[in-house]
Amino acid sequence: MAGLAQQFTQLSNSPLSDTPGDSRSVNIVDVNGDGLDDVFISNGLQGGQNNELYLNFGNSVFSAVQSGPIVQDNSPSDGTTFADTDNDGDLDAYMVTWYGQPNFFYRNNGSGTFTHLPNAVAGTTGTHSETAAFGDYDNDGLVDVYVTNSGGDDLRDFLYRNTGNNSFVKINAAYLNENTASRSANWADYDNDGDLDLFITRESEHINTLLRNNGNGGFAKVNNDPVTTEVLSSITASWGDVNNDGFLDLFVGNSGNFAPQNNRLFINNGNGGFTVAAPGEINSDGGCSFGSAFSDYDNDGDLDLFVANGYCSGVTNNFLYQNDGTGVFTRDLTSLPSYVTPCSYGAAWGDLNEDGFQDLVIANCKRNSAAAQPNHTVFMNNGNNNHWLKIKLIGVVSNQAAIGAQIRVTASINGQSVTQLRDISAQSGYCGQNSLTAHFGFGAGTQIDSIAIKWPSGQLQSLGITAVNQTITVVEGQPSSVNSPLPNNVLAIRATPNPFSDSLNWILVNEKPFRQGRFELMDAQGKVVFSKGVAQLTAGSHTFHFPTAHLPSGVYSLRLISNIGASEAVKVIK
């Protein structure tokens, strides 16, 4: 709900904020499984330019990865999407290029390093691709990928079905024959029927495309709806439940060629159709809009919106909108230290310093060939007294990164019971991917009444009363709560030394192999202060070493959560 402006501080003196480039995509993703979201930024300079990957070491400290193919391909890169394509517990990447260059599939080796697999996604040589989005459209537990194209002799998009073992096959279907330039692709279950639908923005004054999943592996084009009848030049799109009614609404950002166009917010009617939102700033600001992303940046219980603007004449300003709780947005002109941009492209939200508040990263670009390469813009959220909850999902029958899952959290906010909806997405807007950790704000509310998860597999899972101001991990199919331990020492952990000082050894004994797990170290209030992902362990004894010098003195609890269950918590003292 609208109120006092939230404040941000612009990050400086960091490789993440001080490295120039002709940048395109921002992906806030945990590539090395340490529980901290890292930042990937693609660069699209004509003639080629290396990309950037920044590992997060906590406390707003980032380090640039210097080696590896994902940061050394020297290609004119565009959009990027991350998901666990082979369900091995780490996030893989698909990155597209323009200027007739090949697209790139990168397999995560499990530690945040990547291997280029040129033959994994066939048929992408010589493309003019804009972006890509992972989504499991046939609900087989493997994420597929959709690719948009805007140049060359053939403007048709690509859909690749994941057949397992890092192999994708190209789908040929009538709904893929639209030969008009496209920009953004966004998967979302807008009609709440259990499968992912797809929205595609079309530039150059063409109508946009909404493909409704018919549940048998095919799609039907939605016609005669406001989202598919308006003739504008659309670049970005973002899904989000802006009025907390349980249905995903749609924002579409538009831009002419250095000519502003009004954007559009479409409200989901709940019956398969949409209505243009009532007149207001969000529909009349006239931006040259390229990137967009929803997030509750003030933790008041509703989704706010950031819009990145670029390739505009004169002074260009980015847009930040605050939601009043009913889906009515007002321009926030005071929260960010600066709104002026040389030229912005993609943007994404994530809690980079693990304080429960959403931070913002913006990829900036050259507005013309003569312009200098700008730095990225990073705004760290100063926080407030509002409460929050973050939820990490691990799929078991569903794809492991839980792309396509829906989470509904119910709590009392300002004396009213409010249910908020978040969907887990591999593309939050054009050339942008928000953190895969779902984030909820609750204002002054101090208790979550219920959590309901709808997994891509169709499985429904519920959790009861939950405390605020913590990050929880939920594994698909666990009976009730991630806190429920497995019996008979199926998973057992101990820590040495105990008490500990600057480092801690975590020794795991597992009687059964598991596919993915996560160590969590919690303080006395139950807040996760450190986490570390673990993938594909055979049965046996395993030792892990972690630095702990940054932790204050106190009493902590250590546990492991995995796809086969959770261990008992072990108390440790510093």
Side-chain angles (χ1 to χ4, degrees), residues 541-560:
S541 178
H542 310 274
T543 300
F544 304 86
H545 177 79
F546 299 103
T548 53
H550 64 287
L551 295 175
S553 298
V555 178
Y556 297 88
S557 296
L558 171 67
R559 67 182 178 185
L560 176 80

Side-chain angles (χ1 to χ4, degrees), residues 409-430:
V409 174
T410 301
S412 178
I413 303 176
N414 295 328
Q416 294 185 332
S417 180
V418 176
T419 298
Q420 301 177 59
L421 166 65
R422 302 287 185 269
D423 67 324
I424 308 301
S425 175
Q427 195 81 170
S428 310
Y430 174 61

Side-chain angles (χ1 to χ4, degrees), residues 452-537:
I453 301 166
K454 185 178 182 181
W455 296 90
S457 66
Q459 187 168 181
L460 302 177
Q461 191 166 353
S462 299
L463 284 75
I465 293 174
T466 305
V468 296
N469 297 347
Q470 64 170 326
T471 302
I472 66 173
T473 301
V474 182
V475 179
E476 183 179 11
Q478 285 200 357
S480 57
S481 168
V482 296
N483 295 314
S484 301
L486 283 174
N488 302 322
N489 295 321
V490 172
L491 294 175
I493 55 175
R494 60 187 178 92
T496 63
N498 190 11
F500 64 95
S501 180
D502 292 342
S503 63
L504 185 64
N505 294 314
W506 299 350
I507 301 171
L508 166 69
V509 178
N510 51 305
E511 292 184 354
K512 296 181 179 179
F514 62 83
R515 192 171 69 181
Q516 185 187 38
R518 181 175 297 278
F519 284 109
E520 292 186 343
L521 188 67
M522 299 163 286
D523 63 16
Q525 286 72 46
K527 180 181 178 181
V528 176
V529 295
F530 184 81
S531 64
K532 174 68 176 177
V534 185
Q536 287 187 312
L537 281 186

Side-chain angles (χ1 to χ4, degrees), residues 350-362:
D351 184 5
L352 297 178
N353 56 1
E354 291 289 299
D355 65 351
F357 289 84
Q358 295 283 282
D359 309 303
L360 176 64
V361 182
I362 307 164

Side-chain angles (χ1 to χ4, degrees), residues 391-410:
I391 302 177
K392 299 179 181 180
L393 298 183
I394 298 176
V396 177
V397 180
S398 304
N399 70 90
Q400 193 136 348
I403 304 297
Q406 292 187 342
I407 308 173
R408 289 173 169 83
V409 174
T410 301

